[in-house]
């Protein structure tokens, strides 16, 4: 606190830190003409705003979640992936593509303990199955029937058709499994697509398809996340901070990355204009449109079937959630490996 002029922060911390009075509001800086505030995607702006509606962080990149799959494996097996799949359809497809090619498992889903590892995708499953961590008035619902149903579904799908060693598999391990051609499907962050389409590091570049996050009882279920720049109230260099933050959040910065590092590397998911840059459209042809639609559909204020006590899709915006989510995920990871059951883990 007070040690840095510009910390990088995330959608999870911004409302908490702004509520504590730790951050400077950035409305006046975001309104600078050359910054083009209206170009920022609305859900990203909402996730980086405080309860007072003011903007407290400028986004570096944004993401939602979607389902990634091997078009070639599906075509060979004579299977079609719906654009809006249900989780039941995904489970049925996972069974059919599991082993369709030697050494290829049906699906990769994070099983690695952690509030931001396993529970990022899993909480979106809980939401769409009709569950929630807490009711509007903070009654815990972690062992309610809908929460149990969702977690049992997820764990059973991993056990039946998921990646080997799932209890140690997080984002990085699933990215490796998918890019090395070891799984046919993967539900995770939209940001993964840029790596999967990079021919220098991925064996599946050009073979991938992308569809909306699977659902059960809701119309959409993709998460919402952003990495962003914030300014502590204690800074002595506000104008210099703002100059850096506005640049690092700008259209010019994206153009610089595209020209110097390659257009698939652009930190996208935050500006509408990114998706109409011809070079980016070409580099992101397979996934750009689906990423943008997924972010636009994400609803952090109302992600389930019941009212929520906080904003946030794949997390609960309270400081205690990091510890709570991680502890519960450890018990579920044990159930994935066959030690104990999901129901007893959630009851505990």
């Amino acid at each position: 606190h007070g040690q840095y002029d510009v910390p990088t922060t995330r959608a999870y911390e911004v409302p908490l830190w702004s509520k504590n009075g730790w951050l400077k509001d950035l409305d006046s800086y975001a309104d600078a003409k050359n910054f083009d505030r209206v170009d920022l995607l609305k859900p990203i702006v909402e996730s980086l705003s405080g309860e007072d509606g003011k903007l407290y962080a400028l986004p570096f990149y944004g993401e939602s979640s979607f389902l990634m799959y091997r078009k070639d494996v599906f075509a060979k097996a004579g299977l079609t992936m719906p654009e809006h799949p249900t989780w039941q359809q995904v489970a049925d497809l996972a069974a059919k593509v599991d082993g369709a090619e030697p050494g290829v498992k049906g699906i990769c889903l994070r099983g690695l303990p952690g509030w931001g590892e396993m529970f990022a995708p899993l909480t979106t499953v809980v939401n769409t199955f009709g569950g929630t961590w807490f009711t509007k008035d903070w009654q815990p619902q972690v062992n309610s029937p809908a929460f149990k149903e969702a977690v049992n579904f997820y764990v059973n799908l991993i056990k039946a058709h998921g990646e080997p060693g799932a209890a140690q598999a997080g984002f990085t391990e699933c990215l490796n499994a998918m890019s090395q051609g070891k799984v046919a499907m993967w539900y995770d962050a939209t940001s993964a697509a840029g790596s999967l389409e990079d021919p220098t590091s991925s064996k599946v570049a050009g073979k991938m398809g992308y569809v909306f996050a699977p659902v059960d009882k809701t119309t959409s279920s993709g998460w919402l996340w952003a990495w962003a720049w914030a300014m502590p109230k204690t800074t002595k260099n506000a104008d210099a901070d703002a100059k850096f933050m506005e640049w690092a959040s700008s259209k010019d910065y994206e153009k610089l990355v595209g020209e110097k590092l390659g257009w698939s590397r652009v930190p996208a998911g935050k500006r509408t204009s990114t998706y109409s840059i011809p070079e980016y459209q070409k580099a992101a042809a397979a996934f750009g449109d689906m990423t943008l639609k997924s972010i636009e559909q994400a609803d952090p204020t109302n992600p389930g079937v019941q009212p929520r006590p906080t904003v946030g899709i794949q997390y609960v915006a309270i400081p205690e959630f990091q510890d709570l989510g991680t502890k519960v995920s450890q018990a579920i990871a044990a159930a994935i490996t066959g030690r104990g059951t999901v129901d007893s883990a959630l009851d505990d």
Side-chain angles (χ1 to χ4, degrees):
H1 188 47
Q3 197 176 349
Y4 295 96
D5 284 319
V6 181
T8 49
T9 181
R10 306 169 294 185
Y12 171 72
E13 285 91 2
V14 173
L16 299 176
W17 292 1
S18 65
K19 204 173 173 179
N20 288 352
W22 296 350
L23 301 178
K24 219 169 170 54
D25 101 68
L26 304 177
D27 276 350
S28 58
Y29 299 108
D31 287 336
K33 201 165 73 217
N34 60 344
F35 184 70
D36 195 0
R37 178 184 186 148
V38 293
D39 186 42
L40 295 177
L41 296 171
K42 196 169 163 246
I44 300 293
V45 170
E46 281 176 3
S47 72
L48 299 176
S49 299
E51 286 179 353
D52 55 9
K54 291 177 178 172
L55 193 60
Y56 283 95
L58 302 185
F60 178 65
Y61 96 92
E63 66 177 34
S64 182
S65 53
F66 57 17
L67 186 66
M68 303 163 259
Y69 72 102
R70 284 277 299 278
K71 288 196 291 193
D72 55 332
V73 173
F74 272 64
K76 215 165 137 186
L79 298 168
T80 309
M81 173 65 80
E83 193 183 35
H84 287 273
T86 65
W87 271 113
Q88 195 49 59
Q89 286 173 322
V90 171
D92 296 343
L93 290 166
K96 288 174 180 154
V97 291
D98 190 356
E101 290 193 357
V104 177
K105 295 299 288 178
I107 193 164
C108 206
L109 293 167
R110 301 186 200 180
L112 184 69
W115 70 280
E117 276 289 358
M118 176 203 292
F119 262 122
L122 181 47
T123 298
T124 72
V125 181
V126 168
N127 290 337
T128 195
F129 269 69
T132 180
W133 282 90
F134 295 96
T135 61
K136 187 92 169 91
D137 57 352
W138 292 107
Q139 297 305 307
Q141 298 292 298
V142 74
N143 64 344
S144 66
F147 204 112
K148 282 184 172 176
E149 187 195 352
V151 179
N152 274 302
F153 172 85
Y154 188 89
V155 168
N156 291 338
L157 180 53
I158 288 175
K159 280 176 155 177
H161 306 296
E163 72 279 12
Q168 279 84 48
F171 174 83
T172 307
E173 291 73 21
C174 281
L175 176 61
N176 290 340
M178 191 94 235
S179 56
Q180 295 309 305
K182 296 199 168 89
V183 290
M185 286 187 280
W186 177 27
Y187 169 58
D188 216 301
T190 55
S191 58
S195 304
L196 293 176
E197 297 296 343
D198 180 353
T200 62
S201 60
S202 170
K203 290 180 182 170
V204 297
K207 298 176 182 174
M208 296 296 301
Y210 305 90
V211 295
F212 288 102
V215 294
D216 185 52
K217 292 180 174 63
T218 58
T219 50
S220 70
S221 77
W223 73 54
L224 191 70
W225 194 241
W227 278 96
W229 314 105
M231 197 191 299
K233 270 231 173 100
T234 49
T235 185
K236 306 272 192 291
N237 306 301
D239 289 345
D241 300 351
K243 202 172 172 184
F244 165 75
M245 289 157 66
E246 285 168 21
W247 170 76
S249 232
S250 70
K251 297 177 193 178
D252 287 347
Y253 181 80
E254 290 191 355
K255 209 171 143 202
L256 185 69
V257 173
E259 286 163 1
K260 296 273 192 250
L261 300 177
W263 285 94
S264 72
R265 303 280 296 280
V266 166
K270 66 177 181 289
R271 288 186 169 277
T272 310
S273 58
T274 312
Y275 295 88
S276 52
I277 301 168
E279 296 92 337
Y280 183 75
Q281 283 180 330
K282 196 178 163 193
F287 60 87
D289 190 44
M290 187 54 68
T291 298
L292 180 60
K293 284 178 179 161
S294 297
I295 292 171
E296 286 174 339
Q297 280 193 11
D299 186 359
T301 54
N302 187 29
V305 302
Q306 65 283 90
R308 304 293 163 111
T310 68
V311 170
I313 299 177
Q314 75 280 23
Y315 55 89
V316 185
I318 50 172
E320 297 84 357
F321 183 68
Q322 298 190 51
D323 190 44
L324 171 67
T326 299
K327 283 202 172 90
V328 180
S329 72
Q330 285 161 347
I332 294 167
I336 292 173
T337 61
R339 298 196 317 277
T341 66
V342 165
D343 286 12
S344 64
L346 296 177
D347 287 338
D348 286 348

